[in-house]
Amino acid sequence: MTNILFVSSSPRGAASQSTKVAEQLVAGIRAEDPSATVTRRDLARHPLPHVDEAYLGAVFAPAETHTPEQTKLLALSDELVAEIQAADVIVIASAMINFTVTSQLKAWFDFIARAGKTFRYGANGPEGLVTGKRVVVVEAKGGIYSDGPMKPHDYQQPWIRFILGFLGMTDVEIIQVEGQAMGPERAEQGVAEAAEKAGATARALVGRRAAA
Ligand SMILES: Cc1cc2nc3c(=O)[nH]c(=O)nc-3n(C[C@H](O)[C@H](O)[C@H](O)COP(=O)(O)O)c2cc1C
């Protein structure tokens, strides 16, 4: 059975193309594999707090000294980490806001990056501990960043790839929904290309899991 973790993060609600294409991808996986389960984390509707002094105090304090507030803050991080650890496939819908991920998605990564749980520093430097996952990221953006003059200013895709790899998730596919602020025609083209890729990705993912 495939456990899917579906993380969405666009503040644009029902208008979000990253969420819509990611929904299609998840539906495609479930069409191929009806036994697949889905855990949803809607970070825009249910935002996480920011990592702050209270949280960092909890992370670094010995367990026996934790206050009820520190226990609560760590329980949230533990729950998010448990969700990624339990998933076989992680689908992340990411809207580009001011050239990078939303603060909601950044907060999620801040809570799942836990020294000793999801990464550690060893003799050979950092080692990601979240291994064996297949990750698909659906990124929606107003402009075109895959090629052309804006390419160096995509701070969404390189960062997502890097932080996932830092945590051990290296089997990553990215589906881009580009040109969403470039007029209806270009926007539709971006959605159609991404939807097609989502369908193919769903079939390939289920095929690969069946063959494994
Ligand atoms: C506040 C705001 C900031 C944005 N910043 C950028 C940006 O820096 N670059 C860009 O290409 N598009 C930008 N956009 C356009 C969004 O990336 C685009 O609408 C995309 O479809 C958002 O993803 P979503 O459809 O999943 O919500 C911005 C949109 C909003 C609302």
Side-chain angles (χ1 to χ4, degrees), residues 3-157:
N3 293 322
I4 305 167
L5 173 61
F6 179 10
V7 180
S8 55
S9 59
S10 169
R12 296 194 326 118
S16 166
Q17 295 298 349
S18 62
T19 309
K20 278 189 220 171
V21 172
E23 289 276 9
Q24 285 169 24
L25 172 70
V26 170
I29 297 171
R30 297 198 72 208
E32 300 284 325
D33 175 6
S35 70
T37 63
V38 185
T39 301
R40 286 168 194 267
R41 263 286 157 191
D42 184 337
L43 300 172
R45 283 214 176 89
H46 306 286
L48 300 169
H50 281 148
V51 163
D52 59 7
E53 194 178 356
Y55 172 75
L56 294 178
V59 166
F60 294 112
E64 62 275 13
T65 67
H66 285 166
T67 64
E69 170 70 7
Q70 286 178 319
T71 304
K72 202 172 147 200
L73 284 168
L74 285 179
L76 170 63
S77 170
D78 288 345
E79 187 185 341
L80 296 166
V81 169
E83 279 176 4
I84 52 166
Q85 295 289 21
D88 307 297
V89 175
I90 301 168
V91 176
I92 300 173
S94 171
M96 178 185 271
I97 298 290
N98 295 322
F99 305 102
T100 188
V101 299
T102 60
S103 54
Q104 290 90 340
L105 186 58
K106 175 64 165 54
W108 181 75
F109 276 107
D110 289 344
F111 277 104
I112 64 166
R114 287 274 297 275
K117 277 185 185 285
T118 56
F119 71 94
R120 69 178 163 219
Y121 285 100
N124 301 319
E127 183 192 352
L129 302 177
V130 187
T131 54
K133 312 295 175 192
R134 286 179 180 145
V135 184
V136 185
V137 184
V138 180
E139 295 179 356
K141 38 196 89 181
I144 307 281
Y145 296 81
S146 54
D147 207 3
M150 290 306 283
K151 197 172 177 179
H153 301 297
D154 182 347
Y155 304 102
Q156 177 185 27
Q157 178 164 161

Side-chain angles (χ1 to χ4, degrees), residues 195-210:
E196 197 181 316
K197 207 167 168 196
T201 300
R203 288 188 290 279
L205 265 176
V206 176
R208 278 174 66 191
R209 280 191 60 73

